[in-house]
């Protein structure tokens, strides 16, 4: 019976520790009285558990002015989760690159770096290269895998929420048919998450970029493929029943348009992607022109390039008008390589939205992504995803910290 009681007390203490630490992760800085009010625990219990969390280095007393808001007027130190108690990391894989981003628990960047891979590299070699890059960056930050509290991995293609397996995507994507989180989890002792690249770019913008502080916001990525991600009332929409939501590239922009490999006709990706822009400009810029060439010519005032971006913005605006009528976002963030064209693309999106959406839905603020493009943005979003997954992060923080019996719970 004593063993059972001890186990029950330890479980209760762990639950209460998780409750207090979750409150600090969510609210940032609190004093003990606020923790007691938020958690519903007694001040004695809060004091006891906070003392242990401070002793273990998981919580610190924050510098700054003391709080004297309580009725007795006594100064009370503020508490916060210790940013140095561990690290969060993100890995992002595209066809030819890997990027890794490592932060502390406050989201401060500790290290961020990319590496190239051959397009035909199999997923097993990509996994090994990603882990090697992760180890290098942890070492550069003075850490190792033991400090890692969570990793999120970005890959192209949809991820089935029921199975965790990456579904069919663009040709040549190595991760199709692989449970990415499970495979990385075989090599790490921390929680591992897997997510689609575009969603990670959006999470970075929602957390640190153009969507920070906005509760209802839509991100649309215009790149080789197109994707959309929605945040509703401050919460990330999880992508539908199976994770297939957000495929805005396969919304019909023209029902009589050309057939798309997805089986639909006139999909948006056929008009507003990098391949579509390059195809439209091939007669004037030549067959070897890349997106950087197009953007440079656009910035220099090339009329053909500017006309193509005008048309691209109009077709995107028509589709977004329907999205706004359905969801009424406060802000639309346009990311991906095509967003580098700036107002040449954004202005026709705004004008078409004002013209085509219902009156109540046409005032969405259309802005460019603020955090840059490509692998770095997605990798930083992956680290942000770890920090947003409070329950898993708290569990990892407290893992291995065995509570002592015969203490207040």
């Amino acid at each position: 019976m004593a063993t059972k009681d001890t186990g029950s007390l330890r479980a209760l203490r762990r639950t209460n520790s998780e409750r207090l630490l979750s409150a600090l992760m969510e609210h940032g800085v609190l004093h003990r009285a606020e923790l007691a009010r938020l958690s519903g625990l007694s001040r004695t219990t809060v004091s006891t558990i906070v003392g242990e969390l401070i002793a273990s280095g998981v919580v610190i007393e924050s510098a700054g002015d003391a709080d004297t808001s309580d009725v007795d007027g006594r100064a009370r130190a503020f508490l916060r989760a210790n940013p140095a108690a561990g690290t969060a990391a993100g890995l992002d894989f595209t066809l030819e690159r890997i990027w890794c981003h490592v932060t502390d628990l406050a989201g401060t960047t500790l290290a961020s770096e990319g590496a190239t891979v051959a397009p035909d590299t199999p997923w097993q070699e990509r996994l090994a290269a990603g882990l090697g890059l992760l180890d290098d960056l942890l070492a550069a930050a003075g850490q190792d895998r033991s400090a890692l509290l969570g990793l999120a991995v970005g890959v192209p293609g949809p991820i089935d929420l029921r199975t965790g397996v990456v579904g069919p995507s663009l040709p040549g994507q190595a991760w199709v048919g692989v449970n990415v989180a499970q495979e990385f989890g075989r090599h790490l002792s921390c929680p591992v998450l897997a997510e689609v690249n575009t969603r990670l770019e959006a999470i970075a913008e929602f957390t640190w970029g153009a969507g920070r502080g906005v509760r209802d916001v839509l991100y649309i990525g215009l790149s080789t493929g197109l994707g959309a991600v929605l945040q509703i009332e401050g919460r990330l929409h999880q992508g539908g029943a199976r994770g297939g939501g957000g495929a805005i590239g396969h919304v019909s922009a023209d029902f009589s348009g050309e057939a798309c490999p997805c089986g639909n006709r006139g999909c948006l990706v056929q008009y507003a992607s990098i391949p579509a822009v390059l195809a439209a400009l091939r007669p004037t810029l030549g067959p070897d022109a890349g997106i950087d060439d197009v953007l440079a010519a656009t910035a220099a005032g090339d009329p053909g390039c500017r006309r193509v971006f005008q048309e691209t913005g109009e077709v995107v605006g028509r589709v977004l008008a329907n999205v706004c009528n359905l969801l009424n976002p406060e802000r639309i963030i346009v990311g991906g390589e095509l967003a580098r064209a700036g107002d040449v693309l954004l202005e026709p999106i705004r004008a078409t939205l004002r013209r085509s959406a219902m009156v109540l839905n046409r005032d969405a603020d259309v802005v460019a992504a603020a955090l840059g493009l490509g692998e770095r943005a997605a990798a930083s979003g992956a680290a942000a995803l770890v920090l947003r997954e409070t329950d898993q992060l708290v569990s990892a923080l407290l893992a291995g910290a065995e509570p002592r019996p015969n203490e207040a719970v």
Side-chain angles (χ1 to χ4, degrees), residues 249-251 259-265 267 269:
H250 294 285
V251 171
C260 178
C262 76
N264 201 0
R265 277 191 172 276
C267 290
V269 71

Side-chain angles (χ1 to χ4, degrees), residues 183-226:
E183 294 299 336
F184 273 91
R186 299 183 196 278
H187 303 271
L188 300 168
S189 58
C190 64
V192 179
L193 307 168
E195 192 49 273
V196 182
N197 312 90
T198 302
R199 287 176 61 80
L200 294 178
E201 293 173 15
I203 290 168
E205 290 294 332
F206 297 162
T207 307
W208 295 312
R212 185 173 186 176
V214 183
R215 292 181 61 78
D216 296 287
V217 56
L218 175 74
Y219 175 91
I220 178 170
L222 306 178
S223 186
T224 302
L226 278 65

